[in-house]
Amino acid sequence: MSGSLWLRPPGASSGTLPAVPRPRTGDDPGPAADPLDELAARLGVFIAAAVHPDEIAAVLESDGMNDEYIRLTYGRQDSFALAEELYARVPRSFPEPGPAADPWKVSLSACLLRGVIFALPGLAYLLGAPLLEGPQDRLGLPAGTLTLLAGALIGWVWDQTLSHRAYSWLGLGDRAAAGRTLLVGAPAGALLGTAAALTVPGGPPFSYAFAAGQACYVGAATVLLVLGRERVLLAALAPMAAGAVLVLLVDLPVPLRVALLLVSLLAACALAVRELPVADGVRATAARIRGLTARRPGRGPVRWRMLRGAEEEYAVRGPRLGDSVPFGVFGLGTGLLVLYAALGEVLAGGPAEAVAAPSAVALTLSMGPAEWLLHRFRSGTLSGLRGARSPRAFRRRMLRTLARCLTLYLAVLLALGLTGTLLWPGAPGLTGVRVATLLLLGAVMWSGLLLQSFGAVRPAAVVCASAAVAQSLALLTGIGQPRVVQLAVAGTAAAALAVLVCLFLGRATAHR
């Protein structure tokens, strides 16, 4: 790059005389009056976009121009002097960047499919309803409700924690480690969910079997969803969903209902096992057991002080377990808030007819559009980073994108709530207080998921868990009217999360 450019043409000898100049013809304009003009025209795009002469000097040197060539051709001392003159001669012009690929673009149909998969398991309760009949429990709820809720809530919390750890391994590019994590975590979660259901006394006998199947399904669904097998899981749920639709038209016999439930459950579990590295997991477990029993350095009669490099063989690698706990806390808080939205009035001593099941179904179904709108927010802020000229301008763009995405999500949630209330037999009407509570809960969940997607899961988990604790204390102590308490708690949590979103996401560095 710094060598001389005055090279002899190939085949020329040292005795060759230079060619005699010929008279110029009319078609030949001759050399430029100043070679600097020709250079400025040739490198005009780079010179105009430079923000400092040193950038131009780097371009000149990369073009093969050394100081000797610059002195002979352009009459300047070196590349820096030439760059300063070019920088002063060519006006600044910063072209807008071309259209860049959007890394946050996702398919709307894929997100909607996930939302449907989240809600479809609820149809299993229609098939199992005749086997769950019995006297109401002490809270006035249908028989077996508390048993099923205990198992579902524990399974939901474990599912959130396990999913984050598996996704962390996938983000590190280690799909095998993610499979091993799911291989261990999914059965453990099924056992925990079943144990939680068994601790609730007084339920019908079939409710405990149903809760065990529910816990097994949650584990299998977690495996398939984390590994991106949504369509496979949908196919496994098809027999149960078809049976639930038939129940609305004709009365199916109990053996057929149980068979349809078992077919979907066994299909989901079998498909999940097929995706897991069972053989590799067994070999890894055996190797770990052998490693625990093997003698490590420094364990013999003489305890040598090993160098740090030798100790690193036994260091735990990968994501830390503590990083996944806040996701479970966030799942516990949001799960309790959704539970109170559906059963809050009944738990406070109200009539059984006050169960607002359509609100819980609407919040579950809305998770599909919520996921898509989270990606649209990331896309909008990315374009804001490219187009904003100042931090204040970027903040304004971010707030506009946030308002647009949140408004669209709340509109979808309201439409789902109204539709469910109209179609659900005997559902309580959506009064103004119920609508406000539903929308505020939707804002809490979407804002919490937004903070979670930016890595700020701890403050979101603290807010949601605090809101769940506050509402639980209000129910236990009987403070206030249930609807007013729900509205106040949801409004306070939504306001706190809105402040956190503005604080965390108002900085451009949070979006890189």
Side-chain angles (χ1 to χ4, degrees):
M1 184 175 71
S2 59
S4 174
L5 296 181
W6 299 102
L7 303 177
R8 297 190 182 95
S13 64
S14 58
T16 303
L17 297 176
V20 179
R22 302 294 181 187
R24 302 187 183 279
T25 63
D27 297 335
D28 186 3
D34 186 353
L36 200 60
D37 293 336
E38 181 183 355
L39 181 63
R42 183 164 64 89
L43 302 178
V45 176
F46 302 100
I47 299 171
V51 297
H52 194 275
D54 288 353
E55 295 184 42
I56 304 174
V59 172
L60 295 176
E61 292 179 1
S62 67
D63 202 36
M65 299 185 189
N66 57 11
D67 292 345
E68 179 185 358
Y69 177 80
I70 290 173
R71 283 194 296 271
L72 292 175
T73 307
Y74 302 106
R76 273 63 179 180
Q77 183 66 25
D78 52 24
S79 60
F80 293 99
L82 179 59
E84 289 178 359
E85 187 161 346
L86 290 172
Y87 185 82
R89 177 174 298 198
V90 178
R92 303 299 94 214
S93 175
F94 303 103
E96 291 293 332
D102 186 0
W104 298 104
K105 185 177 182 179
V106 295
S107 171
L108 176 60
S109 59
C111 295
L112 293 178
L113 175 62
R114 291 175 68 88
V116 171
I117 289 175
F118 293 154
L120 269 183
L123 297 177
Y125 297 105
L126 294 177
L127 287 175
L131 296 170
L132 297 173
E133 292 179 352
Q136 295 182 346
D137 58 21
R138 58 185 180 275
L139 297 177
L141 295 171
T145 301
L146 293 180
T147 303
L148 299 176
L149 287 178
L153 189 61
I154 297 300
W156 171 252
V157 174
W158 184 265
D159 167 61
Q160 294 295 301
T161 307
L162 177 63
S163 298
H164 173 262
R165 183 157 181 81
Y167 277 124
S168 298
W169 280 116
L170 291 176
L172 294 174
D174 196 342
R175 189 176 180 87
R180 292 193 298 270
T181 299
L182 294 170
L183 181 61
V184 175
L191 291 176
L192 284 175
T194 304
L198 292 175
T199 58
V200 180
F206 183 75
S207 65
Y208 298 104
F210 195 97
Q214 175 182 262
C216 293
Y217 169 78
V218 169
T222 301
V223 172
L224 294 174
L225 289 173
V226 169
L227 298 180
R229 299 293 187 266
E230 291 87 354
R231 297 184 185 277
V232 172
L233 181 57
L234 181 64
L237 291 173
M240 180 272 299
V245 174
L246 288 176
V247 165
L248 299 176
L249 303 176
V250 296
D251 187 17
L252 297 179
V254 172
L256 181 57
R257 291 170 180 257
V258 176
L260 290 173
L261 290 173
L262 287 176
V263 166
S264 289
L265 175 61
L266 295 176
C269 293
L271 292 171
V273 171
R274 189 188 67 172
E275 298 292 334
L276 292 175
V278 179
D280 294 341
V282 172
R283 286 193 293 268
T285 303
R288 179 167 295 185
I289 294 174
R290 289 194 300 268
L292 292 175
T293 58
R295 178 174 295 180
R296 294 184 180 181
R299 294 287 180 90
V302 180
R303 296 182 180 273
W304 299 96
R305 297 188 64 181
M306 304 299 294
L307 296 176
R308 184 170 182 173
E311 294 294 335
E312 288 177 354
E313 297 177 358
Y314 307 102
V316 179
R317 295 179 175 89
R320 296 180 299 177
L321 286 172
D323 293 339
S324 301
V325 173
F327 289 84
V329 176
F330 178 79
L332 176 62
T334 54
L336 285 174
L337 290 176
V338 173
L339 174 64
Y340 290 143
L343 303 176
E345 294 184 44
V346 180
L347 294 176
E353 292 76 13
V355 175
S359 297
V361 174
L363 287 168
T364 305
L365 279 173
S366 68
M367 289 297 100
E371 182 180 350
W372 183 76
L373 288 169
L374 289 175
H375 284 84
R376 297 314 306 158
F377 176 81
R378 298 299 295 262
S379 298
T381 54
L382 184 61
S383 62
L385 281 176
R386 298 192 183 108
R389 300 298 184 185
S390 66
R392 182 173 298 178
F394 169 75
R395 194 176 297 110
R396 287 197 299 267
R397 290 195 178 202
M398 186 276 295
L399 291 175
R400 286 198 298 268
T401 305
L402 175 64
R404 183 168 59 251
C405 293
L406 182 57
T407 302
L408 184 56
Y409 169 70
L410 294 180
V412 172
L413 178 60
L414 180 60
L416 291 173
L418 291 174
T419 303
T421 302
L422 293 176
L423 298 179
W424 196 283
L430 273 181
T431 61
V433 176
R434 290 184 186 274
V435 170
T437 304
L438 176 63
L439 295 181
L440 287 173
L441 279 178
V444 168
M445 296 187 67
W446 195 83
S447 302
L449 292 173
L450 180 62
L451 289 171
Q452 178 178 309
S453 67
F454 279 88
V457 63
R458 285 178 173 81
V462 169
V463 171
C464 293
S466 300
V469 169
Q471 194 156 347
S472 300
L473 291 176
L475 286 173
L476 292 175
T477 58
I479 299 176
Q481 206 273 339
R483 294 186 188 179
V484 177
V485 171
Q486 291 179 14
L487 182 62
V489 169
T492 304
L497 289 174
V499 173
L500 289 174
V501 167
C502 293
L503 290 177
F504 280 96
L505 307 185
R507 297 174 287 107
T509 53
H511 300 263
R512 294 178 180 176

